[in-house]
Amino acid sequence: MKNLKISARLTLAFASVVLLLAGIVASSIWQFTAVRSSVDRLVDEDALKLRLAQEVLQMARGNGVHVLAAFVAEDEAVRAPHLAAVAQARQGIDEHLKRLDALVSEPGGRALLERFRSARTDWVQAFSAALALMKQGEMERGRRQFA
């Protein structure tokens, strides 16, 4: 190195700084790509899962209001629109759960989704049994069954 001219030494030093800088830039680009991938997943998948879950919750809450109104109503004409809204919400919840089922892949999320499905199955069975009693004219028994 001592035998090299000063210009050659300066050129080597400058080239090593440029190579070091190029390495830093390459590493930064690679890290940026990883961050972008995470952000894309967050925006595209996680936000969609959250929106679907929130819509299921909103439909379930609205469904609860219609179920209560249907069981309180004495007249079939008053009860019918509430039962139609319950059926529509049930279909909407089913569709959202199918979409969530395709999106949820992590074990914790799968377990939570299965717990929700199990609770919902119990609720739908209780509602269906009570509704069947009400349609047979046993209004009070149907209300007690569901309560």
Side-chain angles (χ1 to χ4, degrees), residues 52-67:
L52 289 171
Q54 287 174 333
E55 289 175 4
V56 166
L57 181 60
Q58 185 179 13
M59 285 186 275
R61 286 181 177 154
N63 202 23
V65 170
H66 287 291
V67 166

Side-chain angles (χ1 to χ4, degrees), residues 62-63 65-71 73 75-88 127:
N63 202 23
V65 170
H66 287 291
V67 166
L68 181 60
F71 277 98
D75 184 44
E76 182 61 33
V78 174
R79 187 178 311 113
H82 293 293
L83 292 177
V86 168
Q88 184 178 6
F127 173 74

Side-chain angles (χ1 to χ4, degrees), residues 4 16 41 49 66 70 76 86 91 109-110 113 116 130 138:
L4 293 176
S16 63
R41 185 184 61 79
K49 288 187 274 189
H66 287 291
E76 182 61 33
V86 168
Q91 181 181 2
R110 300 285 324 155
L113 191 57
F116 178 81
E138 299 184 44

Side-chain angles (χ1 to χ4, degrees), residues 70-107:
F71 277 98
V72 170
E74 295 291 332
D75 184 44
E76 182 61 33
V78 174
R79 187 178 311 113
H82 293 293
L83 292 177
V86 168
Q88 184 178 6
R90 186 175 178 178
Q91 181 181 2
I93 291 171
D94 286 343
E95 290 170 2
H96 278 54
L97 288 177
K98 283 179 187 173
R99 290 180 68 192
L100 278 169
D101 196 39
L103 292 171
V104 176
S105 58
E106 296 178 16

Side-chain angles (χ1 to χ4, degrees), residues 125-136:
Q125 287 175 348
F127 173 74
S128 297
L131 185 60
L133 289 171
M134 291 179 72
K135 286 182 178 180
Q136 294 170 2

Side-chain angles (χ1 to χ4, degrees), residues 18-19 23 28 31 34-35 43 78 95 114 135 140:
V18 168
L19 285 175
S28 297
Q31 289 294 326
V35 168
V43 170
V78 174
E95 290 170 2
E114 290 309 313
K135 286 182 178 180
E140 201 54 43

